[in-house]
Amino acid sequence: LNYMKIIHVISGLTKGGGERVAVELANKSVDNGDEVTLLAGWPVDPSFLQNDVNSNIAVKFVSNKRIFAYLYIIPFLIKNKFWINTNDIIHCHLTFGGVFGYMANLLLRNKKFKVVETYHAVGMHIPKFNRWLHSKLMLLKDGVVFMANDSYWDNFVKNNKRLKSAIIPNGIKLLDIEKNKNKKADFPSNFSISKHTNLVGTIGMLRPDRKPSLYITVFKFIKDFIKEEVHFILGGDGIEFQKIKDL
């Protein structure tokens, strides 16, 4: 065979960096002639990222709702074990993918596939328990890719020589941004904001580990500091959305 059958496993197809990398890797694999499936933990608004997936890639979901996704991993593996075993590679991304790959290696016997993980959180300031958990999940993988060097993970690799690993700096292609002065000028009016008003905004993943609620504190400080009228726009998606909206 001159092609591979690959399953990329990700949490949700949202606007995160790891999610974007996973989609671009999947798209590139299809361009190279591979047969690819994108397996997400749960569905989200397709306009976030799913619409960017190559039409030749099958998109499947472990659960219809985020709250049940981790609970459904084992039933999904058991129900789909024959299909999963027809693939060559299970490529895991983020915590959900890490758990899925760990359970696949643990539960599925006489497997023909290899489980590989790309670790997107290398160098990031994440809770020590989360990092420890990620390291334990890696030990049952066939290989792991780190996006950069990191003292913690460098030591992990030295202490676990059995685990095949590599440093592969990866990223996404540059977007072709449309520069339109008229659209930029019309942007405030779309939100019923005067064109002459100060505008402050940010966009990102609204997750607890990123502490996005601090933006509200910062916005409040700016509002109190600047005597002129100021409007704030905070864009993004994640489980902190409602909390931030309430704040």
Side-chain angles (χ1 to χ4, degrees), residues 176-193:
D176 184 16
I177 303 298
E178 178 187 1
K179 296 182 178 179
N180 188 312
K181 292 183 178 180
N182 292 329
K183 285 187 176 181
K184 182 177 180 180
D186 292 339
F187 180 79
S189 62
N190 293 337
F191 294 91
S192 301
I193 300 172

Side-chain angles (χ1 to χ4, degrees), residues 81-95:
K81 60 183 179 181
F82 296 110
W83 166 68
I84 292 173
N85 210 31
T86 64
N87 288 268
D88 302 298
I89 299 290
I90 296 180
H91 194 149
C92 309
H93 305 268
L94 306 178
T95 302

Side-chain angles (χ1 to χ4, degrees), residues 85-118:
N85 210 31
T86 64
N87 288 268
D88 302 298
I89 299 290
I90 296 180
H91 194 149
C92 309
H93 305 268
L94 306 178
T95 302
F96 181 83
V99 174
F100 186 96
Y102 180 92
M103 298 307 298
N105 252 346
L106 187 67
L107 294 178
L108 302 186
R109 305 299 180 184
N110 302 317
K111 67 182 185 69
K112 300 177 181 178
F113 56 83
K114 298 293 184 181
V115 179
V116 178
E117 178 173 354
T118 291

Side-chain angles (χ1 to χ4, degrees), residues 5 12 24 29 32 45 50-51 64 102 137 153 157 170 172 179 192 197 200 214-215 218:
K5 295 183 68 176
E24 295 222 2
S29 292
N32 292 338
D45 186 339
Q50 187 175 334
N51 290 344
N64 289 327
Y102 180 92
L137 292 175
W153 293 110
V157 170
N170 57 44
I172 62 174
K179 296 182 178 179
S192 301
T197 300
V200 179
L214 291 177
Y215 282 119
V218 173

Side-chain angles (χ1 to χ4, degrees), residues 196-198 200 219-232:
H196 305 291
T197 300
N198 295 294
V200 179
F219 288 174
K220 177 67 164 55
F221 175 81
I222 295 173
K223 182 178 184 300
D224 293 340
F225 183 78
I226 299 178
K227 302 306 178 184
E228 304 170 32
E229 185 178 8
V230 187
H231 280 263
F232 304 92

